[in-house]
Amino acid sequence: MKQHRKNRIYVILFIGISILISIFLVFSALQENINLFYSPTDLQNNPPMSDKSIRAGGLVKENSLLRNKDSLKINFEITDLKNTVSVTYEGLLPDLFKENKGVVATGYFYASTNEFVAYEILAKHDENYVPKEVKKALE
């Protein structure tokens, strides 16, 4: 009888420890893969560590887009109409990327220079966007 009770306690302890280890591993994985979103004002007031990948978003400031003629390097500024952050990106821009339109950039923010170095740019569209194919089908 005592042996049966001991075995039951061992099984319960094993299950409990397994659950705790599983919870720890899930939270560790989530913490590493979380990608927070910041506006230019958030970046000014509470800048993240420069070694952490984040997303920054806002409107592309008018007359701020500068393209390098010799490479794919692009500089522009994003604003939330309160603060502005300079963005550097090297690569092809999405078709919807335009001045005074929304954009989300993924990369690293350097508070000392107020510069965001992006490795991915996503252009945002408004809620009235309709793909060409759908528009043709509706006509």
Side-chain angles (χ1 to χ4, degrees):
M1 191 70 167
K2 282 187 174 185
Q3 186 64 27
H4 185 65
R5 185 176 288 185
K6 268 187 177 178
N7 287 343
R8 185 179 297 167
I9 290 173
Y10 289 140
V11 168
I12 291 171
L13 281 173
F14 176 75
I15 291 172
I17 290 172
S18 298
I19 289 172
L20 288 174
I21 290 172
S22 299
I23 290 171
F24 173 76
L25 291 174
V26 166
F27 280 114
S28 296
L30 286 175
Q31 188 68 24
E32 287 178 16
N33 294 320
I34 220 163
N35 200 343
L36 300 175
F37 180 83
Y38 291 85
S39 71
T41 299
D42 294 336
L43 290 172
Q44 298 288 328
N45 295 340
N46 191 14
M49 294 179 5
S50 60
D51 63 339
K52 181 143 174 74
S53 176
I54 61 165
R55 289 185 179 185
L59 297 175
V60 178
K61 189 173 179 182
E62 192 169 353
N63 300 322
S64 71
L65 186 60
L66 300 170
R67 296 177 190 264
N68 188 332
K69 294 178 184 174
D70 299 332
S71 69
L72 293 175
K73 193 169 188 175
I74 298 144
N75 294 324
F76 60 94
E77 294 178 348
I78 57 173
T79 182
D80 58 2
L81 305 177
K82 294 178 186 169
N83 288 301
T84 302
V85 172
S86 175
V87 178
T88 302
Y89 174 68
E90 188 164 350
L92 297 174
L93 291 171
D95 291 337
L96 294 173
F97 182 89
K98 293 183 177 120
E99 292 180 345
N100 287 329
K101 296 291 182 185
V103 68
V104 175
T106 306
Y108 302 94
F109 179 68
Y110 300 96
S112 59
T113 58
N114 193 35
E115 183 179 26
F116 189 84
V117 178
Y119 60 83
E120 181 181 34
I121 300 288
L122 302 172
K124 294 169 58 177
H125 56 76
D126 64 7
E127 63 277 356
N128 299 323
Y129 171 73
V130 179
K132 290 179 188 177
E133 296 82 11
V134 174
K135 192 174 186 179
K136 282 183 183 178
L138 292 174
E139 290 176 349

